[in-house]
Amino acid sequence: MSLLRLENVTKQFGGLVAVNNVSFEIKEGEFLGIVGTNGSGKTTLFNVINGVFFPEQGRVFFNDMDITRTPSYKRAPLGIGRTFQIPRPFASATVRENIAVGAMFGTMGKQLNVDQSLEVADHVIERMGLGKHRLKSAGLLTPVEKKLMEIGRALAMRPRLLLMDEAMAGMHPNDIDDMVEMIISIGKEENIAIVAMVEHIMRAVVGMAEKLIVLDQGEKIVDAPTDEALADSRVVDAYLGKSGETKDA
Amino acid sequence: MIFEQLMGNIVQGLILGAVYGMATMGLSLIFGVLKVVNVGHGAFIMVGAFITLFFFNTLGLNPLLAIPVAFAVGLAIGLLFYHTAIKRLLNAPELATLLATFSAGVLLEESIKLIFGSEFRGYNWDIGNIDLGFTALPVSKLYACLGSVLIALLLYIWFNRTRAGTAMRSVVEDSEGARVCGVNVQGAYAMSFAIGIGLTVASGVLLTMFIPVGINPYMGGGYTLKAFVIAVLGGLASPYGAFFGGLVFGFIENTSYTLFALLPGVEPFALTRFLSFMILLIILLIRPTGIIKAK
Amino acid sequence: MNSKLKKYYPLLPVCVAYLILFLVGRNVTGIWQLVSTLLFYCALGQAFNIFLGMTGYVDFGYVAFLGVGTYGMATAVTGLAGYEGLGVGVIVIGFALAVIMATLLSMAVGAVALRLRGAYFAIATIGVNEGFRYLIEGANLWNGSSGMIFTAELNQILGRDLAGRVMTFWADILVLIIGVAAAVVTLLYMNSKIGYALTALREDEDAAKVMGIHVTKFKIIAFITSASFAGMVGAASWALKTPYVFPPEVFEIHYTIEAIIIVMLGGAGTLMGPLVGALIYGVSKYYLSIFLPGFQLFIFALVIIVIIVLFPEGVVGVLKGKTRNNRLKQLIL
């Protein structure tokens, strides 16, 4: 059964078509990579999935429920978590409080009180290796720590689906490997479907993804299991062939 | 009788409206370029009014001569305020610029109060009337209206025909893109802020032609509210929208006063001011999506 | 159990400060007038902080809630003066009415304004006090611009002696209680999901929404809470202390300015901030009015700009940063 399904989604801004007639689906626990250059409509697609924008056309289903026009704050409790391209911590709050917010208003939000949420946060902090920053203001973290914290905040929501927007940008390749490995193992343990969005074909992400979707100027040009997608001539042209070098790959 | 009165209201309203519009252009310019709402707007208008008083009462000069001086004073205040405070707050939460401009307004009010006192003042620049049959139009108001239109035109030309103006427009459209294209965004910010304040102080000169005895350090509050109504009428980020918003608002204000006066047992002056507040709320209510631009 | 209790430690300095204020006021002759003013500023700041401090939204029309609260008490006193035997009950009804009216107004304003973001919210609120004032004057509600004077009715209800004591003493004690109550509610909010939601939306509203926070709901909670405390402050400090009400006085934007100064000076969004801000503001205003009369607002406007540019976290915010690794830290919130 599909966890998330998009049917012919189109989103425009003024005359500009940011996402054009895109359909795809993700199964439970699946790891999906979305590749697309800057301006290919990736972030807009995320914003449609988690309800920041509503599409002009098409529908979005989550667990077979139509959520096309469900406001974003109602999607989080359904199990859609997200990280941002540029981390957006609640700067004045501590790391612990930031992550607790995830637990408090996520899928378990109704059951957890503040103290229990803080306990969840402590577990996540340990898991993410943020122990020594537990009581630091999130605004004082380094960019990489902010990213980790943001992923932790999303994981504390106990999501069914985790949307990661350029989660690895600006990180050291070794860190990327570790992080991707950790995220995937958490995803498998807790049966979280993960959509990782990247600008380039990164070995770490693409290598682990079960399925790859390639976006170009708002349109989906490839949607196939990873090995097939990588062999696709359009992908080769767009990412490997023309530039003459294999970025990060 | 009522019809003639309404005709008179329309004409008077449009004349006042042009001045209102000009008095709001600075607010819209600053918001359009810097995304800063100048909550102290009215206080800057008040400074212009006091400059006019000084010109007419103390120096015995034609009040229209105060316009360039007021503009220059506004530029100076704007630059000073931009470089001491606003510049450092552009990346801070919105609360910071809101409170800073608000406090700057209070600071100006208090400064003027300390220098000139807080009693109501005025001046009488009587240079005759033009009789239109249904209403008599003071020539001074006509000058104020023409002055506003002229200043709006100058701003338009400056925006569209000069390098600096074009740079500023590009910042309004897309500050990041402008930066990439080599526009000095910081410079454009400082200049827009200074010009915005300059326009606002200058508009204070023109507004005095409509308030013979209403000049006082605290006169600005009402104009701040009116300017917001006008700005949202015309689209908050567009100086020309603001100008046309001003025309509409001047008309509404003048006409509603006449209509409220027909109702028994109410105070038309107060109700007119209440109405302007309601217009503000209603526009914000029905067009929040049109007014708030999604990122 | 112990950790549950620990959450309420920050109330200790608040209560101690109020106690000292009260004792000084009772024991130093001729100082009650100043203490009464300080109590008003404390309560005003504490109430305003629940909205401005916790949400980061600026309500420039905040004084309107004090205004309608004053009218609520005035309505109860004038309307019920004819009924024998209600006595102090009238005051209770007056407070209830003040809260109801402030809540209704905040719901009406909030329904429009709280759907708007940051700057647009501020624009929408800037005319609330004036708008309401001109509605009362223009439509001749509650006697319109002539206002209401109800000293006689208050005397009739409470008897001349008690009414006198209420005006000179008990009204101030009520303001003190309102201030403490607002501090307690602030702390309760801070320790609950409401506080976490408000912090999140204050820091980044879009991210908060994506995290599952119904931002409008929480903003409205903070707005209504803050407004009802303001209504009570108006009812106690204005209606009971000086039993008359005139629209231009109770809708004067000056009080919003003072509330902003107090909250920003002390530290927006902190528990102790409004109290510290109120004491600094009140005492320095008092001495400025003696040594530099007329300069008070001029100086405070400058101070606010300096604070916003250099110390946006306010006095308590700075202290909090300094005591981070200190035993005192659990007392400062």
Side-chain angles (χ1 to χ4, degrees), chain A:
Chain A
M1 187 187 104
S2 68
L3 180 66
L4 175 78
R5 191 167 80 246
L6 270 71
E7 287 179 359
N8 308 97
V9 167
T10 298
K11 174 70 203 167
Q12 307 184 346
F13 294 104
L16 188 87
V17 185
V19 172
N20 192 3
N21 198 25
V22 169
S23 308
F24 67 86
E25 60 174 42
I26 307 160
K27 295 192 192 61
E28 276 191 23
E30 195 173 30
F31 188 112
L32 170 73
I34 297 185
V35 188
T37 51
N38 209 351
S40 62
K42 288 172 303 173
T43 301
T44 307
L45 194 62
F46 266 24
N47 283 333
V48 167
I49 297 174
N50 82 338
V52 175
F53 304 136
F54 297 149
E56 273 83 37
Q57 283 160 40
R59 297 166 82 183
V60 183
F61 294 89
F62 190 72
N63 267 332
D64 281 335
M65 187 170 111
D66 188 341
I67 58 162
T68 315
R69 308 213 138 251
T70 305
S72 60
Y73 70 86
K74 285 189 183 162
R75 297 190 192 199
L78 292 176
I80 302 182
R82 150 173 208 180
T83 68
F84 296 91
Q85 187 166 5
I86 298 158
R88 301 173 77 162
F90 304 127
S92 73
T94 63
V95 170
R96 186 172 185 241
E97 288 162 346
N98 264 273
I99 295 178
V101 166
M104 243 174 254
F105 300 97
T107 55
M108 305 289 289
K110 290 267 184 293
Q111 288 99 297
L112 298 174
N113 65 25
V114 171
D115 289 325
Q116 290 160 333
S117 304
L118 287 167
E119 272 170 41
V120 171
D122 287 336
H123 285 297
V124 173
I125 286 170
E126 203 158 305
R127 178 94 212 220
M128 304 296 296
L130 285 167
K132 61 175 186 284
H133 305 300
R134 190 165 153 264
L135 297 178
K136 207 188 236 182
S137 296
L140 302 175
L141 299 175
T142 66
V144 172
E145 288 162 357
K146 280 183 189 161
K147 290 208 155 162
L148 279 171
M149 190 215 75
E150 212 177 50
I151 294 168
R153 193 172 65 182
L155 287 174
M157 293 165 69
R158 295 239 169 190
R160 307 286 311 284
L161 172 69
L162 176 59
L163 306 168
M164 297 175 63
D165 194 344
E166 291 292 344
M168 327 295 163
M171 284 177 73
H172 190 272
N174 294 344
D175 293 342
I176 294 180
D177 285 355
D178 292 347
M179 192 147 108
V180 170
E181 218 163 280
M182 176 176 72
I183 291 163
I184 288 178
S185 72
I186 295 177
K188 290 291 170 233
E189 266 169 49
E190 303 192 10
N191 197 27
I192 302 170
I194 296 171
V195 182
M197 197 159 79
V198 286
E199 204 159 303
H200 312 301
I201 298 190
M202 301 168 102
R203 174 177 43 92
V205 175
V206 171
M208 305 301 279
E210 291 147 66
K211 201 168 85 167
L212 221 53
I213 286 176
V214 181
L215 288 179
D216 187 38
Q217 297 182 8
E219 294 187 33
K220 185 178 83 171
I221 56 169
V222 173
D223 180 352
T226 307
D227 359 337
E228 278 175 45
L230 287 175
D232 193 294
S233 62
R234 285 164 298 189
V235 177
V236 176
D237 282 354
Y239 290 94
L240 307 169
K242 280 183 182 162
S243 65
E245 57 179 329
T246 56
K247 293 173 189 162
D248 296 312

Side-chain angles (χ1 to χ4, degrees), chain B residues 17 28 42 47-48 62 76 79 82 91 98 108 119 148 196 207-208 231 244 266 272:
Chain B
S28 299
V47 172
N62 184 325
L79 279 178
Y82 179 82
N91 293 321
L98 287 171
L108 285 176
E119 65 274 18
S148 301
L207 276 168
T208 57
F244 292 110
V266 301
T272 302

Side-chain angles (χ1 to χ4, degrees), chain B residues 1-22:
Chain B
M1 179 60 204
I2 275 294
F3 179 74
E4 284 198 344
Q5 207 175 346
L6 274 178
M7 276 302 288
N9 281 135
I10 292 172
V11 172
Q12 302 268 9
L14 289 180
I15 291 200
L16 174 61
V19 180
Y20 276 167
M22 193 257 149

Side-chain angles (χ1 to χ4, degrees), chain B residues 169-228:
Chain B
R169 267 192 313 148
S170 72
V171 175
V172 177
E173 294 291 326
D174 178 0
S175 66
E176 212 37 61
R179 197 190 308 272
V180 173
C181 294
V183 173
N184 177 356
V185 175
Q186 274 295 328
Y189 279 172
M191 198 193 291
S192 318
F193 194 81
I195 291 177
I197 299 292
L199 285 172
T200 307
V201 177
S203 75
V205 178
L206 299 170
L207 276 168
T208 57
M209 320 265 167
F210 295 83
I211 40 166
V213 289
I215 301 172
N216 150 296
Y218 303 108
M219 66 186 264
Y223 288 109
T224 304
L225 181 58
K226 284 179 194 178
F228 282 140

Side-chain angles (χ1 to χ4, degrees), chain B residues 27-134:
Chain B
L27 182 78
S28 299
L29 178 67
I30 292 173
F31 184 80
V33 178
L34 293 99
K35 297 285 170 282
V36 166
V37 178
N38 179 11
V39 190
H41 186 75
F44 294 96
I45 292 178
M46 177 273 298
V47 172
F50 271 86
I51 292 173
T52 322
L53 267 190
F54 181 73
F55 260 67
F56 190 86
N57 286 352
T58 313
L59 303 178
L61 294 170
N62 184 325
L64 292 176
L65 291 175
I67 295 174
V69 176
F71 183 73
V73 169
L75 277 182
I77 299 177
L79 279 178
L80 179 72
F81 185 39
Y82 179 82
H83 285 289
T84 48
I86 297 296
K87 186 171 69 179
R88 299 159 207 265
L89 301 175
L90 288 176
N91 293 321
E94 222 158 27
L95 174 103
T97 50
L98 287 171
L99 293 181
T101 53
F102 182 73
S103 310
V106 176
L107 192 62
L108 285 176
E109 289 174 355
E110 293 304 309
S111 311
I112 297 287
K113 183 198 82 180
L114 289 170
I115 301 169
F116 296 101
S118 58
E119 65 274 18
F120 280 94
R121 296 144 177 272
Y123 68 96
N124 186 13
W125 189 40
D126 192 355
I127 47 172
N129 288 313
I130 296 174
D131 194 358
L132 295 179
F134 50 87

Side-chain angles (χ1 to χ4, degrees), chain B residues 37 39 88 94-96 99 102-103 107 110-111 113-114 225 228 236 265-267 270 273-274 277 280 284-285 291, chain C residues 56 58 60 115 118-120 123-124 126-128 130-131 134 137-138 140 145 257 260 294-295 297-298 304 308-309:
Chain B
V37 178
V39 190
R88 299 159 207 265
E94 222 158 27
L95 174 103
L99 293 181
F102 182 73
S103 310
L107 192 62
E110 293 304 309
S111 311
K113 183 198 82 180
L114 289 170
L225 181 58
F228 282 140
L236 192 47
V266 301
E267 290 181 30
R273 298 195 71 163
F274 174 67
F277 168 64
L280 176 69
L284 289 173
L285 185 66
I291 291 160
Chain C
V58 194
F60 288 108
R115 306 197 315 182
Y120 289 92
I123 291 174
I126 200 153
V128 171
E130 287 231 331
Y134 287 117
E137 291 187 358
N140 258 321
S145 47
I257 304 178
I260 290 173
F295 279 80
L297 258 188
F298 175 83
I304 275 301
I308 291 165
V309 175

